[in-house]
Amino acid sequence: MNLRALVPAFLVSAVVGAGERERSRLAELRANWGREIARKRNLEVISRYHASAAAGRRTVDERTWQDLGLDDLFGKLDRTVSMPGRQVLYHQLRTYEEGDGPLAERARQQAVFKDEPELREKLQLLFSRLDGPRSEWLASSLLVPIPTAPRFAPLLYLCSFLSLAGLVGMIFVHWLFLPLLPLLLVNVAITATYGQRVTPSFSGFAQIVTMLGVGERLAAMANPRALPQLEALKEKMPALRRLQRRLGWLVMDRAALPDLAESLLGYLNMLFLFDIVVYLRSIAALRQHQPALLELFEAIGALDSAIAVASYLQGAAVVTRPGLVAGRHLEFSGLYHPLIAAPVSNALQLTGRSALIAGPNMAGKTAFIRSVGINVILAQTLGFAHAEHARLPRATVRSAIRREDDLNSGQSYFFAEIRQILEFTQAEEAGGLNLFLIDEIFRGTNTVERVAASAAVLHHLGRHHLVLATTHDVELQDLLADAFDMYHFSDRVADGTYSFDYRIHPGPARSRNAIKLLEISGYPAAIIREAEALAARASRG
């Protein structure tokens, strides 16, 4: 076989294969622009970066995140092409920005990527190299201290050297195959033991190499739109290039290689410990440059996240850049829930007062307070809201919506709710403006005490904060009239049908229709007559 002819043919095949993959990927990117992307998302992996980067920041707490269905919202927003982009987007959605500067810059970048498809596609093709199976370890490798080399590192160097020397020696002394075979088996065992123990660092280390290649390409790009991430990379790249040289042959961008070539390199690493040796020799340099590598990760993630949000906004029905205000002011029109297929928009204005929202089940009360919470969070994290117009408070959103019995601790529904609302009073005392979203407060206890306790707690919370509370207890409307504006959702029962308009209306709710619903649902006439009589007696006191 002519090896001289084989090597150029292999390289030509690699280049042609890479070109075909790039054209296919580009067509996919163009087809997905402005559309939701269905993919499996490992939120445990995606949240790793946020778990570390959120320290000391004001963030969306886990209960509120689950109450508002923000995992599902993240899925709609996630049009990223890299794991760093996915992790940074998750972190951004979950972290409140304290000033206008970061939000204004995100909005500017989103507009840039909407208007310049050539730029965003060029960036996405680069970022997609960081979306392989190993990429999930990248953040973990950069956010934890890089371990020092083990004491037995010289033995690993020796095993790698002897196996390579034996392979070369076989050309001249064929019987060297006999001692080489057990040595190669030892190397496989080392890969399966020590290599597995350092997998979290080692897998991320392999992706660091690819990330450095992406960073170098980014730093070399023209930057007429003054993207700050590219400017920062231009300053960091001299130091990172020194790390590239230290890493040696691993600087090869394996993500760009054909599958066959990548598999071949994997076997060579297993037999000759190439990756482990280079890793051990590079630990000191990696520790030295870890902060700069993390900045590179964050720059790539921020750009990919901005492109993803730009794609989402391209396909959104109505969005606005809301004004953020200090104090208890909430004003919006045309605001809607982004996770409802055919949402009904609503308007509301509160200044210095909270809102008590009454109405029957299924009329839209809970969906409404969720839509407010989601958009107040989006306004302070990604800089937009699903509304025609909005002026929203700089407030931490805290919710009590999806409450249930805690069977593991033996807590009843009502006691679990008491503990949750107690956390609200403690958050209220800690300072800072909160927007409390409470659905059917204290619904787990008797009517008399529920109304009394609800009025006392809501008065306390509403003294310095914004509260949106839903209720079936019309008695609360009179008790809270001094501090709360009254709103209601209504229904319509006529001709044997039950319907809603899902719109919030000013003023207290006075109508009751539970017994009417029993009637149209086919309950026996005797039950209906007795229920009406009992209700009339209760109304007379």
Side-chain angles (χ1 to χ4, degrees), residues 5-25:
L6 179 61
V7 173
F10 176 78
L11 293 176
V12 169
S13 174
V15 171
V16 171
E20 290 178 352
R21 286 200 305 275
E22 183 169 304
R23 285 190 292 274
S24 174
R25 183 65 175 134

Side-chain angles (χ1 to χ4, degrees), residues 252-274:
M252 181 187 301
D253 187 356
R254 299 184 189 182
L257 293 176
D259 293 338
L260 178 61
E262 192 172 1
S263 298
L264 178 61
L265 287 175
Y267 285 116
L268 291 175
N269 283 319
M270 183 172 61
L271 295 174
F272 300 105
L273 308 182
F274 291 151

Side-chain angles (χ1 to χ4, degrees), residues 70 74 127 133 136 153 156 168 301 350 369 410 438:
L70 293 179
F74 172 76
F127 299 157
E136 66 183 46
L156 301 178
V168 174
L350 298 172
I369 63 173
I438 305 176

Side-chain angles (χ1 to χ4, degrees), residues 318-323 329-335 346-349 385-392:
V318 178
V319 291
T320 187
R321 299 291 177 186
H329 183 84
L330 181 68
E331 174 190 341
F332 54 78
S333 60
L335 182 136
N346 274 290
L348 183 70
Q349 182 170 345
H386 300 86
E388 296 171 359
H389 163 77
R391 296 187 71 226
L392 305 175

Side-chain angles (χ1 to χ4, degrees), residues 6 23 41 70 162 289 354 435 456 469 538:
L6 179 61
R23 285 190 292 274
R41 295 176 177 88
L70 293 179
L162 290 177
H289 295 290
S354 295
L435 170 61

Side-chain angles (χ1 to χ4, degrees), residues 176-363:
L176 285 178
F177 172 77
L178 296 176
L180 177 62
L181 182 60
L183 182 58
L184 293 178
L185 293 176
V186 169
N187 288 352
V188 171
I190 290 172
T191 302
T193 53
Y194 176 71
Q196 289 298 318
R197 288 203 303 273
V198 298
T199 291
S201 298
F202 188 71
S203 296
F205 168 69
Q207 281 291 288
I208 287 172
V209 173
T210 303
M211 187 176 73
L212 284 169
V214 171
E216 186 169 26
R217 296 279 295 276
L218 290 173
M221 289 177 59
N223 191 19
R225 302 305 296 267
L227 297 173
Q229 294 90 345
L230 298 187
E231 290 301 318
L233 289 180
K234 292 180 189 299
E235 298 176 5
K236 298 289 182 185
M237 281 316 297
L240 293 177
R241 286 193 186 100
R242 290 194 294 272
L243 178 59
Q244 280 183 307
R245 290 193 293 271
R246 181 69 180 269
L247 295 179
W249 74 281
L250 278 178
V251 173
M252 181 187 301
D253 187 356
R254 299 184 189 182
L257 293 176
D259 293 338
L260 178 61
E262 192 172 1
S263 298
L264 178 61
L265 287 175
Y267 285 116
L268 291 175
N269 283 319
M270 183 172 61
L271 295 174
F272 300 105
L273 308 182
F274 291 151
D275 279 356
I276 290 178
V277 167
V278 175
Y279 173 71
L280 294 173
R281 293 187 67 249
S282 305
I283 282 177
L286 287 169
R287 290 167 66 92
Q288 177 186 353
H289 295 290
Q290 191 174 18
L293 288 169
L294 182 57
E295 289 182 30
L296 172 57
F297 172 94
E298 291 171 338
I300 291 170
L303 289 170
D304 195 10
S305 172
I307 294 172
V309 175
S311 174
Y312 175 82
L313 296 176
Q314 180 75 22
V318 178
V319 291
T320 187
R321 299 291 177 186
L324 291 173
V325 298
R328 296 188 296 159
H329 183 84
L330 181 68
E331 174 190 341
F332 54 78
S333 60
L335 182 136
Y336 63 95
H337 196 302
L339 299 177
I340 295 176
V344 174
S345 60
N346 274 290
L348 183 70
Q349 182 170 345
L350 298 172
T351 301
R353 292 169 65 86
S354 295
L356 183 69
I357 306 167
N361 286 323
M362 302 184 295

Side-chain angles (χ1 to χ4, degrees), residues 517-528:
L517 284 176
L518 296 182
E519 183 179 359
I520 66 174
S521 297
Y523 275 64
I527 292 178
I528 301 303

